[in-house]
Amino acid sequence: MMIDVTILGYIAAFCTTCSFVPQVLHILKTGDTASISLAMYSCFVLGVFLWLIYGIAMQDWPIIIANAITLMLASAILLLKIRDVFRARKTPQLSV
């Protein structure tokens, strides 16, 4: 039995997109973004945005849907990280 390539794309999109939900929920619950790399998430969000543009250009719905949702989730993580970086810069450091 041969699986339809589009169905395979939707399954892959579902798996990769859902992988971000636990991280977003964890950060929202704990408020802790210390272990998140700002550079990595910046680069990742840019890459997901470009994949979204590619999917739109190719009219490939699994790519469009997966990257639109992933862009929202990863952008939420990135924005929370940026918020925390700016908060840390504003908070005076105690010297020991």
Side-chain angles (χ1 to χ4, degrees):
M1 181 175 104
M2 182 101 160
I3 189 166
D4 183 359
V5 175
T6 302
I7 293 173
L8 183 65
Y10 279 112
I11 294 169
F14 177 80
C15 291
T16 57
T17 300
C18 287
S19 69
F20 280 88
V21 173
Q23 186 68 60
V24 172
L25 294 176
H26 176 74
I27 291 172
L28 291 174
K29 182 179 175 183
T30 65
D32 179 22
T33 62
S35 63
I36 302 295
S37 166
L38 180 59
M40 179 270 175
Y41 263 90
S42 298
C43 186
F44 181 75
V45 167
L46 176 60
V48 171
F49 174 73
L50 294 174
W51 271 112
L52 176 60
I53 298 302
Y54 172 81
I56 292 169
M58 299 301 292
Q59 298 179 358
D60 190 325
W61 282 103
I63 291 176
I64 293 168
I65 293 168
N67 286 289
I69 295 169
T70 301
L71 183 62
M72 288 186 290
L73 294 170
S75 293
I77 293 170
L78 179 61
L79 291 173
L80 291 169
K81 177 64 177 182
I82 291 169
R83 177 200 67 186
D84 290 349
V85 167
F86 280 110
R87 282 183 179 171
R89 288 183 183 168
K90 288 182 180 179
T91 304
Q93 301 297 319
L94 297 174
S95 57
V96 178

